[in-house]
Amino acid sequence: MTGRVPLSVLDLAPISSGSTAGQALRNTVDLAQRAEAAGYRRYWLAEHHLTTGVAGVAPALLIQLVAAATEHIRVGAGAVQLGHRTALSVVEEFGVLDALHPGRIDLGLGRSGFRAPRPGAAGTTSAPTSAPAPAPVTRPTGPRYTPEGLLVPAPYDFSSLIGSPLFARYTGLVQFPGAEPVEYGEQLDTILALLRGDHRTPEGIEAHAVPGEGADLEVWVLGSSAGVSAGAAGALGLPFAANYHVSPATVVEAVDAYRKAFRPSARLAEPYVLVSADVVVAEDDETARHLASPYGLWVHSIRSGQGAIPFPSPEEAAAHPWTDGQRALVEDRTTTQFAGSAGTVVERLEVLREATGADELLVTTITHDHRDRVRSFDLLAEAWRRG
């Protein structure tokens, strides 16, 4: 792909209605091989838990699966959920992956799964160890367009999800009872120190992770707002991935905060921003919209506290009796999904790139039929390459 910023792939290993987790994982391998042939730069696997519609539960395992089935495309996590991991377990897992596939592995780190530490709890700090506290952000209450024409919808309030029974069940199963979370900035510092080989405990004792120490990993921070993640990524001089497909209302402020916080590092001399988008490409706009039509129902299952359901067929989605409240719940996501012909989607991706100054774009696509998903990536790659 030449003439434009690189394109990469984010895969959730979605399970379609009537299908199985095993088939979803086989589809992931097939799509990764097709993405490599089409010229995508990297292939990232997401991490989700306790849902019937996503098989991407163990990034390290899926990365090994994909890396072993491909030859040169970069493979990584988008992202490891640090809220229920230790720094050592992450470094050791990805050290193994690097030992088997040197120079091809990306370690994306996210804050998902974090709880607020109790004040004064052991092993916690009151602020990130590597980044200043982010400045408060005043957000518009309604949708707007950037000067480039990118839709920035009204912010979605995630508090209802955090208080849902699903979230409580999730927290209870992925974390040890009574465990105190380590502050995110401290986790990042420890991971980087273990990779460098200069980690010391507070008592001055050395700790060496093998495999892991000296691993040739690209370390990324993923974030959805101008908060801790963006500030930490900038302060540590790491590349930053911002989620337009998850939180379109906050993507512009997230990348701005990252760039303001950025300090050059041995890893990166200048800020590097990757921005995600949810797309569906078909031969024409009408077909693409038809293939994308189940997306709203799928997002609704997540935001209503069920967890992601198996991805419906267009026919199943059409049979759903929507209420105004249900439509409002998912409007920010359905209106910012890029569904259309290759020309239509390329045009909208270019607007996203211009509005965010992205150095790279990360594309995620879900359709009920795997063949349509593969075709979407093929059509997009071909059109992007022509530009």
Side-chain angles (χ1 to χ4, degrees):
M1 299 180 186
T2 58
R4 290 190 167 104
V5 300
L7 283 185
S8 294
V9 177
L10 174 64
D11 182 10
L12 280 64
I15 304 171
S16 294
S17 61
S19 189
T20 65
Q23 186 58 55
L25 296 175
R26 287 187 286 273
N27 290 345
T28 282
V29 173
D30 178 63
L31 181 61
Q33 292 171 330
R34 297 292 294 268
E36 180 174 67
Y40 288 89
R41 171 170 286 190
R42 63 186 87 239
Y43 197 96
W44 280 4
L45 289 310
E47 178 180 356
H48 296 275
H49 299 282
L50 299 178
T51 72
T52 59
V54 173
V57 298
L61 290 177
L62 268 66
I63 290 168
Q64 168 57 22
L65 188 69
V66 168
T70 54
E71 296 180 0
H72 56 79
I73 192 170
R74 297 196 65 89
V75 188
V80 170
Q81 297 180 1
L82 282 185
H84 54 85
R85 306 290 185 89
T86 67
L88 178 61
S89 68
V90 172
V91 171
E92 288 180 336
E93 284 183 359
F94 280 77
V96 170
L97 292 169
D98 174 74
L100 294 172
H101 311 283
R104 290 182 59 198
I105 305 301
D106 296 338
L107 171 54
L109 301 170
R111 291 183 67 237
S112 295
F114 264 89
R115 294 171 292 148
R118 292 200 313 264
T124 66
T125 56
S126 59
T129 58
S130 302
V137 176
T138 301
R139 299 187 179 101
T141 57
R144 64 185 176 90
Y145 285 88
T146 69
E148 299 81 7
L150 179 70
L151 173 60
V152 179
Y156 171 72
D157 183 3
F158 286 90
S159 60
S160 60
L161 273 181
I162 295 174
S164 69
L166 176 67
F167 187 84
R169 184 168 73 244
Y170 170 90
T171 302
L173 288 173
V174 301
Q175 295 174 336
F176 286 106
E180 289 294 343
V182 179
E183 189 276 322
Y184 182 66
E186 185 178 341
Q187 282 271 61
L188 294 179
D189 286 342
T190 302
I191 287 171
L192 294 176
L194 287 169
L195 289 172
R196 290 191 305 265
D198 59 10
H199 179 72
R200 302 290 186 277
T201 69
E203 298 76 23
I205 301 172
E206 295 184 4
H208 298 279
V210 180
E213 187 172 311
D216 185 15
L217 302 173
E218 276 194 20
V219 180
W220 291 72
V221 170
L222 279 74
S224 298
S225 67
V228 172
S229 298
L236 291 168
L238 297 174
F240 181 63
N243 297 320
Y244 185 69
H245 84 283
V246 171
S247 185
T250 56
V251 67
V252 174
E253 66 188 47
V255 298
D256 286 347
Y258 163 68
R259 290 193 178 98
K260 289 176 182 176
F262 185 83
R263 303 170 190 164
S265 69
R267 294 171 177 266
L268 202 61
E270 297 179 348
Y272 192 94
V273 172
L274 177 150
V275 177
S276 65
D278 197 295
V279 315
V280 175
V281 182
E283 280 72 11
D284 55 72
D285 290 353
E286 183 179 0
T287 302
R289 286 193 294 267
H290 175 72
L291 297 177
S293 61
Y295 183 67
L297 184 57
W298 186 75
V299 172
H300 180 267
S301 71
I302 300 170
R303 289 190 168 177
S304 61
Q306 303 174 58
I309 60 174
F311 198 78
S313 68
E315 293 73 25
E316 289 169 329
H320 179 76
W322 285 92
T323 67
D324 291 343
Q326 288 175 334
R327 293 188 187 280
L329 187 66
V330 302
E331 185 178 13
D332 66 316
R333 294 283 294 273
T334 57
T335 56
T336 55
Q337 184 186 37
F338 301 163
S341 67
T344 297
V345 172
V346 164
E347 181 179 343
R348 296 183 70 181
L349 285 173
E350 283 287 17
V351 169
L352 177 64
R353 182 198 60 78
E354 292 173 8
T356 59
D359 301 288
E360 187 172 339
L361 295 173
L362 183 71
V363 175
T364 183
T365 297
I366 304 179
T367 58
H368 185 263
D369 191 313
H370 175 65
R371 291 169 297 183
D372 293 324
R373 191 161 68 124
V374 170
R375 181 65 173 153
S376 177
F377 280 105
D378 283 345
L379 288 171
L380 178 59
E382 181 180 352
W384 197 256
R385 189 164 44 242
R386 289 199 303 267

